[in-house]
């Protein structure tokens, strides 16, 4: 799976949305749209997203959704 698919899925599993995560981090909601349509965040943002969603950065790039590990 790609980043966008995993990002949306992880958000859903955590009871939130990509837009809500961006608002929580004081980011433009256009970032959520960019990330869910194929753009990749830079490494520092990936780390912040992982911390916010209580997952690992690698979970955003997992091929199998069963690899998600709560932190």
């Amino acid at each position: 799976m790609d980043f966008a698919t995993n990002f949306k899925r992880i958000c859903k599993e955590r009871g939130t949305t990509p837009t809500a995560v961006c608002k929580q981090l004081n980011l433009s909601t256009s970032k959520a749209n960019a990330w869910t349509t194929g753009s990749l965040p830079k490494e520092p943002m990936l780390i912040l997203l992982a911390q916010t969603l209580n997952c690992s950065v690698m979970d955003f790039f997992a091929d199998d959704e069963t690899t998600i590990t709560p932190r």
Side-chain angles (χ1 to χ4, degrees), residues 4-56:
T5 302
N6 282 322
F7 181 46
K8 289 184 273 190
R9 182 179 48 75
I10 293 167
C11 286
K12 185 176 179 180
E13 289 173 357
R14 303 301 192 261
T16 190
T17 64
T19 300
V21 170
C22 285
K23 286 182 181 180
Q24 180 181 350
L25 297 174
N26 295 318
L27 300 171
S28 167
T29 56
S30 65
K31 286 285 188 194
N33 184 52
W35 294 337
T36 58
T37 58
S39 179
L40 287 177
K42 294 186 179 186
E43 183 179 353
M45 184 55 62
L46 284 170
I47 294 167
L48 185 58
L49 289 170
Q51 290 170 340
T52 302
L53 292 168
N54 196 29
C55 66
S56 77

